[in-house]
Amino acid sequence: MPVQPLPLGFVFRSRAKEEKAPAAKAALTDSKQPRDPQAPKGRPTPKRSEARTQRRSVAHTPTNRKEAAKRQREERRQALERQRQALANGDERYLPARDKGPVRRFARDWVDSRFNVAEFFLPLAVVILVLSVVRIGAIQSIALLLWLIVIVLIVLDAAVSGFRLRKRLAERFPDENTRGAVAYALMRSLQMRRLRLPKPRVKRGERP
């Protein structure tokens, strides 16, 4: 039988096209499957909630130093505002570290439930100062004596209050660290009741 000559196109056709054809078909087949643009190559598509959270975090990430500083100032301002509101309403989640905890709360309630000589120091000091400027020797002597009496009463009241509070803390919180609670309470007793922060939660005479 005579041998049929092969067409030139068959001999010189590009083998590279034949090799690329299956790959192109596979790519077309795979491209029909939707893939989230946020998903890295070779990883499963994240859930919609995860993708939304990731986009939100990327959107809120500061892009330069100026924006980062501005964001820090805003966060600090919000933290101070939450702290101010907590001091007014007693929300312990945002109170300063010195006011947090059951020990400090008990110390505040114990001071607020009683009368303290030190809380009347400011009004008494005003009265004594007024008396001391009067150009009468007897009145000035009375003002000096009142100064001495007020100071002695404050010291004695602080000593008795500190002793009693230390005893109550040991009974109420035997397994907790109460260090600094007595000094914290005595400093609070120096303030007038209406000016104390956090605001008093108990009435006078009420047992904490």
Side-chain angles (χ1 to χ4, degrees):
M1 296 179 60
V3 179
Q4 297 290 335
L6 295 175
L8 294 177
F10 180 79
V11 175
F12 296 101
R13 64 181 178 178
S14 175
R15 186 173 298 178
K17 292 182 179 180
E18 292 181 353
E19 293 176 353
K20 291 181 180 179
K25 292 180 180 180
L28 290 174
T29 304
D30 293 340
S31 64
K32 294 179 181 180
Q33 298 179 358
R35 185 178 69 85
D36 194 308
Q38 299 292 335
K41 293 182 179 180
R43 298 184 182 178
T45 302
K47 297 180 180 179
R48 182 176 300 177
S49 59
E50 296 176 355
R52 188 182 297 112
T53 303
Q54 185 178 4
R55 287 195 298 269
R56 189 181 297 117
S57 62
V58 172
H60 291 292
T61 302
T63 57
N64 51 49
R65 184 178 300 177
K66 184 177 180 180
E67 185 177 348
K70 181 179 179 181
R71 183 175 179 180
Q72 289 180 356
R73 288 195 299 269
E74 180 64 20
E75 291 177 351
R76 191 180 303 112
R77 187 191 65 79
Q78 293 177 359
L80 291 175
E81 178 63 21
R82 288 195 299 265
Q83 188 178 104
R84 186 188 65 81
Q85 293 179 0
L87 289 172
N89 57 31
D91 188 353
E92 290 203 12
R93 294 178 300 172
Y94 304 113
L95 285 177
R98 70 174 187 275
D99 299 312
K100 285 185 177 180
V103 175
R104 298 301 175 95
R105 182 171 63 248
F106 178 82
R108 291 196 301 269
D109 293 345
W110 190 86
V111 169
D112 297 337
S113 65
R114 60 191 301 273
F115 286 95
N116 304 276
V117 178
E119 67 180 286
F120 301 105
F121 173 76
L122 287 178
L124 288 175
V126 172
V127 174
I128 294 173
L129 285 175
V130 171
L131 293 177
S132 63
V133 297
V134 177
R135 299 300 184 90
I136 299 177
I139 295 180
Q140 290 181 345
S141 299
I142 293 175
L144 182 62
L145 182 60
L146 287 177
W147 269 120
L148 182 61
I149 293 174
V150 169
I151 293 175
V152 171
L153 289 176
I154 289 176
V155 172
L156 290 177
D157 183 63
V160 174
S161 298
F163 176 79
R164 294 176 59 189
L165 178 58
R166 188 176 289 106
K167 184 178 180 181
R168 290 292 307 277
L169 289 172
E171 296 173 354
R172 189 74 172 266
F173 307 98
D175 300 326
E176 295 193 31
N177 183 15
T178 60
R179 183 178 180 181
V182 174
Y184 171 78
L186 293 179
M187 289 299 296
R188 185 176 177 85
S189 68
L190 292 173
Q191 302 170 345
M192 299 179 66
R193 181 182 174 88
R194 66 179 60 185
L195 300 179
R196 293 172 183 172
L197 293 175
K199 295 292 185 180
R201 304 186 315 141
V202 298
K203 298 179 180 179
R204 293 190 190 274
E206 184 178 349
R207 187 179 180 86

